[in-house]
Amino acid sequence: MFQIGDWVTQYSVGYWQVVDIKAKYAEEDSGYGKQFWKKGEQIGKWVFLKKAFTPKMKIQIRSECVDGEWCKIVTDEKRTEIKKYFADHPNDWERFCNTPVVIPPAVSSIWMNLSDDQEAKVLQILKELPKCFSRAELDQQFEQRGLLNVVTNPPTSHILSLSCNPWEVGANAVLTYFSPELKRV
């Protein structure tokens, strides 16, 4: 397994440095093949990466968070080449070190068919929600105000976008959402 500071490749081409590692938990009972897991069980690692190079060793700095299963440690020869490049190009090393790791949140969408009155109720619910909330908490608010029947499949009148970071889970490995945004479509 790799550690923070290691250089790796992953499914997005290029050479990446591991900058953080967080536990990945099963969000539900599930499985495939001969692997099965229970909700809340640790099933892997989220790996935060900062890209330094394209496959042709051209400098290209950006960041991603991926499942650790996709990451492979680079060869000793490639690690030596990376170190040599940065030793010969200290400005690029400084730029790489000073570029922050920015991982945009994932977005989950809920399609809704709303009248003007129902839209006002949903907007009020969104104002009253805590800063971070679970989908069950949101559904409970919809149910209390008679709005469960407005969640549907497209075509619809509105889309409710919920942001989350897959590595941030609450009790029982439940995803926590934030920054809800309702838009007319």
Side-chain angles (χ1 to χ4, degrees), residues 31 42 61 66 104 114 159 164 177:
Q42 185 173 342
I61 304 171
V66 300
L114 301 173
I159 186 169
C164 73
Y177 295 95

Side-chain angles (χ1 to χ4, degrees), residues 1 3-4 7 11-12 21 23 46 57 67-68 101 107 113 115-116 119 127 132 135-136 140 149 177 184:
M1 192 62 168
Q3 299 176 22
I4 293 172
W7 290 95
Y11 64 86
S12 291
I21 302 171
W46 289 113
M57 293 298 291
D67 187 313
V101 174
V107 177
N113 223 0
S115 67
D116 290 343
E119 178 183 21
K127 286 181 187 176
C132 293
R135 177 64 194 263
Q140 182 181 28
N149 63 333
Y177 295 95
R184 287 182 182 258

Side-chain angles (χ1 to χ4, degrees), residues 40-69:
E41 179 181 349
Q42 185 173 342
I43 58 172
K45 302 279 186 186
W46 289 113
V47 181
F48 295 74
L49 302 169
K50 188 187 287 189
K51 184 176 188 176
F53 302 102
T54 68
K56 294 183 179 184
M57 293 298 291
K58 303 284 187 210
I59 195 83
Q60 184 185 68
I61 304 171
R62 64 186 183 97
S63 46
E64 284 187 15
C65 177
V66 300
D67 187 313
E69 290 293 317

Side-chain angles (χ1 to χ4, degrees), residues 104-117:
V107 177
S108 179
S109 299
I110 301 173
W111 296 92
M112 308 177 92
N113 223 0
L114 301 173
S115 67
D116 290 343
D117 181 52

